Amino acid sequence: MTTFTGAGDQPDSGLTSLPAYKALQAHYESVRDLHLRDMFAQDPERGERFAAEAAGVYLDYSKNRITNGTIPLLIRLAEQCGLRDHIEAMFTGKEINRSERRSVLHIALRAPAGEQIVVDGEDVVPEVHKVLERMAQFSEAVRSGQWLGYTGNPIKTVINIGIGGSALGPVMAYNALKYYSHNDSHRDLAFHFVSNMDPTDFVEATRGLHPEETLFIICSKTFGTLETLTNAHAARAWCLRALGNEDALKRHFVAVSTNAEDVAKFGIDTANMFGFWDWVGGRYSIDSAIGLSTMIAVGPHRFREMLSGFHAMDEHFRHAPFEENLPVLMGLLAVWNTNFLDASMVAVLPYAEYLNRFPAYLQQLTMESNGKHVTQDGHPVDYQTGPVYWGEPGTNGQHSFYQLIHQGTHLIPCDFIGFCQSLNPLTNQHDELMANLFAQTEALAFGKTYEQVIAEDIPQWQAPHRVFEGNRPSNVILLERLTPYALGSLIALYEHSVFTQGAIWQIDSFDQWGVELGKVLASLTAPELESESEPPLNHDSSTNTLIRRYRKLSRQPRGLSEDSAAGSDSEVPS
């Protein structure tokens, strides 16, 4: 375990000194050698008891390495860490993002009209609904063809430009709800998402498109994010080359931002600027105006269904007892696996192709939130925080990295996500898909012993290679089908699980200072790459050498570079 310390700092042992934490350490020592196959054999009803359900989500956590005594001890730890007070502080607008002195109120984005959430003496819910109504009006105008481009053509392509939560959220939600976008009267609208500063991302997204039929949504709270503005200016130039008049920008660009001055300077009509608030973090913003592309794709009604799913899980998280609380249980199990079983990773495995970007979305949500090495008070932690999240849709992953999960030396807890009904029934394929999900969790839990292998007449020399240790923990998250409501409740489940983990680890889950340093250094390095005079370099020897090599090769004529890489025609064998 890596322990970070600053000059003169002493590790903060607040968490590890708590009685509940010490009790969990002793409990772990007493159960560490138990195997899931024995736990299930001794408790035939375990699979029914270690389960909970809320907001359309069924959570089976019985295949975690826990006993009847584990959850009560974890709940005691949550109580000693003040989790209930932390939850109420968020829902009542307190400044729980202490390093930035901000409230954290993504829960207000999905609060029904009439609820009251007060920040600095002002109810924020009415303002949220004003923005939602403006989004709905604009979305319907685009979807119906009433919103016309500069030349009078209706919009056929929508391109979302953003980065981080302003990109991962929209593309994840669009993919997740694509069924609803493609199965209504507006299926002729196409959607693209540009985030990478690599010019290839923009060029490929716009290849073959017509500017007079394209609408850009520029998502940047400050309208100053380098990557987003770089791509936005590329889009601006692309439009102007074809349309020739800056007045055209007002029909082909809208902004999701709070910086009206810079939005106007860019050429966007501020009447087409959709705002949000500093109490909305980027990775928690898909249900804000950042979700405008999603609303255009699926329509305001279905977008509001998604908000209802979010809100249902919010209410459950706020009010349900911890022993029945899905986000709390998932968060506490993550703490158990990370701090006691020493698992440093979590695999998220959705058995739904529509959720193919959900693991990537969760990577930001979880790792940007809880990848922290100091507590809220600024003291270095002396325990692990923030495991690495990764994954792919099933069954693709079964034919790549599941080998490591089953027989590798890393302990990798898994979240399996499945749906009982397919949106696209095709013979019995969905049954086969879900059979794989259930079989994988069974294999991970129970494995296959040497004796079982030998009993199948496997040659003795091969038997060790075909043994599965088992005892690999997993959750199964099961929903009826992938609806907008289900997606909202699923996202909120993970949001509040992340919150629970952060509260236990006593860290600030809502800042992201770790994103800043590389960006600052890049802003200093870029002029050194672009300058024709080759200014002196004052970096380390590695960085200096890399910059010099880049300057040399990037300035060669393109043909020469390609020839040197591929060889001349005369060198290619006939």
Side-chain angles (χ1 to χ4, degrees):
M1 179 176 70
T2 302
T3 300
F4 299 88
T5 57
D9 288 331
Q10 294 298 319
D12 176 60
S13 58
L15 173 63
T16 55
S17 65
L18 290 174
Y21 194 93
K22 293 180 177 179
L24 279 162
Q25 288 178 314
H27 173 70
Y28 169 71
E29 292 301 323
S30 69
V31 303
R32 63 183 302 172
D33 295 326
L34 297 179
H35 198 289
L36 281 166
R37 68 171 71 99
D38 298 320
M39 296 184 200
F40 273 86
Q42 295 165 10
D43 182 2
E45 297 180 351
R46 177 186 175 93
E48 300 171 16
R49 288 188 303 102
F50 287 154
E53 185 173 7
V57 178
Y58 180 83
L59 171 67
D60 175 358
Y61 59 96
S62 63
K63 293 187 178 77
N64 281 276
R65 287 165 56 174
I66 57 175
T67 66
N68 291 334
T70 311
I71 295 298
L73 286 173
L74 287 167
I75 290 174
R76 191 186 309 171
L77 179 65
E79 291 167 345
Q80 291 178 10
C81 290
L83 177 58
R84 182 63 70 188
D85 290 339
H86 282 285
I87 295 171
E88 278 306 296
M90 177 173 68
F91 277 85
T92 53
K94 302 293 191 301
E95 289 185 353
I96 62 172
N97 179 351
R98 287 168 57 181
S99 80
E100 296 180 293
R101 296 184 176 177
R102 291 178 180 174
S103 300
V104 175
L105 277 176
H106 46 279
I107 49 94
L109 299 172
R110 52 265 195 153
E115 285 203 6
Q116 189 177 68
I117 300 175
V118 177
V119 178
D120 297 329
E122 184 176 348
D123 183 5
V124 301
V125 176
E127 288 301 312
V128 167
H129 281 268
K130 284 181 184 178
V131 174
L132 282 172
E133 185 55 36
R134 290 186 58 236
M135 291 168 60
Q137 292 172 1
F138 181 77
S139 297
E140 289 292 17
V142 175
R143 286 164 59 81
S144 67
Q146 293 177 7
W147 180 273
L148 300 177
Y150 182 66
T151 62
N153 290 5
I155 297 301
K156 292 187 178 179
T157 303
V158 177
I159 300 181
N160 186 95
I161 295 181
I163 199 164
S166 299
L168 283 167
V171 71
M172 179 277 294
Y174 171 72
N175 282 357
L177 301 178
K178 189 179 291 186
Y179 173 86
Y180 302 93
S181 174
H182 285 187
N183 285 273
D184 64 16
S185 59
H186 308 287
R187 61 184 303 159
D188 54 335
L189 277 173
F191 292 81
H192 299 277
F193 301 86
V194 175
S195 58
N196 200 326
M197 198 189 294
D198 183 341
T200 298
D201 198 11
F202 177 81
V203 169
E204 289 295 340
T206 55
R207 191 182 298 280
L209 299 183
H210 302 290
E212 63 270 19
E213 299 172 345
T214 302
L215 174 72
F216 290 94
I217 303 174
I218 312 301
C219 296
S220 174
K221 184 189 293 187
T222 63
F223 218 73
T225 307
L226 176 62
E227 297 90 340
T228 300
L229 266 292
T230 299
N231 281 317
H233 280 286
R236 188 181 192 276
W238 182 76
C239 277
L240 289 178
R241 279 196 300 272
L243 302 176
N245 192 323
E246 292 205 0
D247 287 343
L249 300 178
K250 297 178 181 179
R251 303 302 299 175
H252 294 273
F253 285 80
V254 299
V256 179
S257 181
T258 58
N259 186 344
E261 182 179 354
D262 284 354
V263 166
K265 286 180 181 177
F266 183 91
I268 297 174
D269 187 346
T270 54
N272 299 320
M273 184 183 86
F274 302 87
F276 56 116
W277 304 269
D278 67 359
W279 38 259
V280 181
R283 57 195 178 276
Y284 296 91
S285 65
I286 182 55
D287 42 354
S288 73
I290 292 295
L292 181 60
S293 60
T294 305
M295 184 182 281
I296 295 173
V298 303
H301 175 69
R302 290 196 176 104
F303 191 87
R304 289 191 173 101
E305 285 181 5
M306 182 179 74
L307 298 184
S308 295
F310 272 106
H311 182 67
M313 188 60 74
D314 293 344
E315 289 293 287
H316 170 72
F317 178 55
R318 186 179 187 182
H319 297 296
F322 287 168
E323 60 269 18
E324 302 170 8
N325 196 307
L326 271 66
V328 170
L329 289 168
M330 281 187 63
L332 292 177
L333 288 167
V335 170
W336 170 252
N337 289 332
T338 301
N339 298 107
F340 298 95
L341 272 64
D342 202 26
S344 61
M345 293 179 275
V346 176
V348 179
L349 310 167
Y351 277 62
E353 183 60 26
Y354 284 129
L355 291 181
N356 61 353
R357 295 296 288 162
F358 194 63
Y361 176 79
L362 290 184
Q363 286 176 340
Q364 185 194 18
L365 174 65
T366 58
M367 294 193 283
E368 193 167 273
S369 293
N370 288 342
K372 309 295 169 60
H373 70 280
V374 297
T375 66
Q376 286 268 22
D377 295 324
H379 298 295
V381 301
D382 58 353
Y383 44 85
Q384 293 286 12
T385 66
V388 175
Y389 278 71
W390 55 276
E392 281 286 328
T395 56
N396 296 356
Q398 293 178 195
H399 292 269
S400 57
F401 54 78
Y402 276 41
Q403 169 64 44
L404 185 143
I405 297 176
H406 279 287
Q407 290 186 311
T409 57
H410 298 278
L411 181 69
I412 304 175
C414 300
D415 287 350
F416 288 84
I417 302 171
F419 298 88
C420 296
Q421 298 177 16
S422 173
L423 294 174
N424 299 291
L426 191 63
T427 62
N428 65 341
Q429 277 189 227
H430 190 70
D431 292 341
E432 295 286 347
L433 174 74
M434 293 303 293
N436 274 272
L437 185 158
F438 299 139
Q440 291 294 333
T441 67
E442 190 174 15
L444 286 168
F446 304 115
K448 195 172 189 179
T449 65
Y450 182 85
E451 290 73 23
Q452 289 173 317
V453 173
I454 291 296
E456 295 177 352
D457 294 327
I458 300 299
Q460 191 168 7
W461 62 267
Q462 194 182 64
H465 302 279
R466 302 180 69 161
V467 168
F468 290 75
E469 184 182 62
N471 216 24
R472 314 278 171 132
S474 67
N475 294 312
V476 175
I477 299 166
L478 198 60
L479 301 93
E480 183 176 346
R481 68 181 180 277
L482 181 49
T483 63
Y485 181 97
L487 179 65
S489 63
L490 185 62
I491 296 170
L493 169 66
Y494 276 94
E495 287 179 347
H496 298 319
S497 171
V498 166
F499 179 97
T500 297
Q501 295 166 53
I504 302 300
W505 289 323
Q506 303 175 0
I507 58 178
D508 188 339
S509 296
F510 301 101
D511 62 13
Q512 58 276 333
W513 298 109
V515 177
E516 298 299 318
L517 179 57
K519 291 166 64 175
V520 171
L521 294 177
S523 69
L524 300 175
T525 303
E528 297 172 334
L529 302 183
E530 298 164 358
S531 173
E532 293 296 326
S533 62
E534 298 194 1
L537 302 175
N538 296 307
H539 305 277
D540 60 274
S541 60
S542 169
T543 305
N544 287 342
T545 302
L546 291 168
I547 291 173
R548 291 189 187 103
R549 182 172 181 81
Y550 174 85
R551 289 199 300 211
K552 176 183 176 182
L553 295 179
S554 66
R555 294 170 186 175
Q556 287 185 4
R558 183 173 302 208
L560 176 61
S561 176
E562 290 172 353
D563 288 345
S564 65
S568 66
D569 290 343
S570 62
E571 295 172 334
V572 179
S574 58

